[in-house]
């Protein structure tokens, strides 16, 4: 494999969040069908398949007949076995009886255990749950909706939506080849679009980076291998903080940079889909981005 270095970014960098979902009408239909039938649902999806996007779309749906009290989304890491904490996080008055409410409760937390979900069901006994999880994970008796990779047609549509324009014929062929390489995973496709749109790569260059066996994290791993040493070091410092959002100034101190240079590097990584920024100034490594050890990175560079 030829070692790549990502080209310099364009002069004007702008983060363009993608809204809505592409190619998930069937999954959304099954999901809403189960809810309307009064069943809680487990979304079984590998990382990067777009389960979070489905939950966000559910938030925009009008209340269903089986859940007339509306929809709430619980934050990741909520201590679901603590009813008082649930009340505080969902901004429900403490003297309300949650068990009598009929809500759609969304939990996007892959680390939630069976006991967590059972406890949540007890707290919201009158409500329906929609939770995410890996396909291999078991769980309580819930209806299951499988979320897999997109078809090539929908994959190209998602890449176009992410890039904000129609693809040329050559780009369309390249996008279909990339979709095959990443098994149609929406997260990887949005990342591929960002690498072309803001990273200066072409689809053939992405395919060269993806000559390893297809896997959900293939694009993230390939883009990491292509980072120059300064961006790789910045990503490593951020990863060391775990899931705790790191302010720009803290990232700058950790990497021995001034704040402007640290922000430039972080935004460069964000444009490639490797890091995320929260609503204020906290940076974290994006979910599903694998850690590459220095020996692995070095061995790839020699290929």
């Amino acid at each position: 494999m030829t070692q790549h270095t990502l080209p310099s970014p364009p002069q004007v960098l702008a983060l363009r969040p993608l809204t809505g979902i592409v190619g998930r009408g069937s999954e959304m239909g099954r999901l809403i069908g189960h809810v309307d039938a009064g069943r809680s649902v487990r979304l079984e999806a590998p990382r990067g398949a777009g389960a979070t996007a489905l939950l966000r779309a559910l938030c925009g749906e009008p209340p269903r007949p089986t859940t007339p009290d509306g929809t709430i989304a619980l934050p990741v890491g909520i201590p679901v076995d603590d009813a008082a904490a649930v009340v505080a996080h969902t901004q429900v008055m403490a003297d309300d009886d949650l068990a009598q409410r009929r809500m759609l409760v969304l939990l996007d937390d892959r680390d939630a255990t069976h006991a967590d979900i059972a406890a949540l069901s007890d707290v919201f006994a009158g409500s329906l749950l929609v939770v995410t999880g890996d396909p291999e994970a078991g769980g309580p008796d819930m209806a299951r909706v499988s979320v897999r990779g997109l078809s090539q047609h929908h994959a190209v549509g998602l890449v176009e939506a992410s890039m904000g324009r129609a693809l040329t014929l050559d780009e369309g062929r390249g996008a279909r080849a990339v979709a095959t390489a990443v098994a149609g995973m929406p997260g990887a496709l949005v990342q591929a679009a960002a690498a072309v749109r803001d990273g200066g790569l072409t689809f053939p260059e992405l395919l060269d980076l993806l000559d390893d066996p297809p896997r959900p994290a293939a694009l993230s791993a390939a883009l990491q291998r292509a980072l120059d040493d300064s961006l790789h070091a910045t990503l490593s410092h951020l990863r060391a903080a775990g899931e705790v959002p790191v302010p720009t100034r803290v990232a700058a101190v950790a990497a021995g940079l001034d704040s402007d240079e640290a922000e430039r590097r972080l935004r460069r990584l964000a444009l490639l889909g490797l890091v995320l920024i929260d609503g204020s100034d906290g940076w974290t490594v994006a979910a599903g981005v694998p850690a590459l050890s220095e020996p692995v990175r070095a061995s790839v560079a020699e290929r």
Side-chain angles (χ1 to χ4, degrees):
M1 175 177 171
T2 303
Q3 175 70 1
H4 289 263
T5 299
L6 293 173
S8 299
Q11 291 298 313
V12 179
L13 299 180
L15 295 175
R16 305 174 186 70
L18 178 69
T19 57
I21 54 175
V22 175
R24 292 303 188 200
S26 175
E27 290 86 350
M28 180 62 80
R30 292 200 299 274
L31 179 52
I32 291 177
H34 286 307
V35 171
D36 286 348
R39 300 193 67 190
S40 292
V41 181
R42 184 182 186 92
L43 287 177
E44 296 184 329
R47 291 189 183 276
T52 299
L54 280 169
L55 291 188
R56 288 175 178 165
L58 264 183
C59 286
E61 288 287 316
R64 314 302 301 179
T66 52
T67 55
D69 292 330
T71 301
I72 57 173
L74 302 181
V76 170
I78 188 171
V80 295
D81 56 344
D82 185 343
V86 172
V87 170
H89 277 286
T90 57
Q91 297 181 344
V92 178
M93 295 302 293
D95 57 353
D96 282 348
D97 187 357
L98 294 181
Q100 300 306 312
R101 288 176 172 265
R102 297 170 62 198
M103 297 180 287
L104 186 61
V105 181
L106 312 181
L107 180 65
D108 188 14
D109 185 355
R110 291 176 176 274
D111 295 326
T113 65
H114 300 173
D116 290 333
I117 297 172
L120 192 65
S121 298
D122 289 340
V123 173
F124 293 97
S127 298
L128 299 179
L129 308 183
V130 178
V131 304
T132 58
D134 292 314
E136 297 80 10
D141 183 22
M142 308 175 83
R144 296 170 185 246
V145 173
S146 177
V147 184
R148 296 291 184 263
L150 296 174
S151 67
Q152 284 199 341
H153 171 74
H154 286 127
V156 172
L158 177 60
V159 172
E160 288 186 325
S162 301
M163 294 184 67
R165 64 172 176 82
L167 301 179
T168 66
L169 289 177
D170 284 344
E171 287 176 332
R173 284 191 286 269
R176 285 191 289 274
V178 169
T180 298
V182 300
M185 290 293 103
L189 291 168
V190 171
Q191 231 179 344
V196 172
R197 183 194 67 212
D198 298 309
L201 294 178
T202 65
F203 286 107
E205 287 171 334
L206 282 177
L207 286 170
D208 188 30
L209 290 173
L210 290 170
D211 64 357
D212 287 330
R215 57 189 183 276
L219 185 57
S220 293
L223 290 176
Q224 283 187 83
R225 296 185 188 109
L227 296 176
D228 62 33
D229 289 341
S230 65
L231 289 176
H232 180 71
T234 303
L235 185 64
S236 297
H237 284 300
L238 203 62
R239 179 177 278 112
E243 298 181 357
V244 179
V246 177
T248 301
R249 59 180 179 76
V250 175
V253 171
L257 305 170
D258 62 55
S259 292
D260 288 343
E261 175 61 16
E263 182 174 2
R264 186 193 71 79
R265 293 186 186 183
L266 290 167
R267 287 193 173 275
R268 179 84 169 113
L269 292 168
L271 288 170
L272 295 170
L274 297 174
V275 306
L276 303 173
I277 184 171
D278 61 17
S280 53
D281 179 42
W283 301 87
T284 54
V285 177
V289 175
L292 295 182
S293 66
E294 287 298 337
V296 169
R297 191 166 182 266
S299 68
V300 171
E302 293 168 0
R303 286 169 54 183

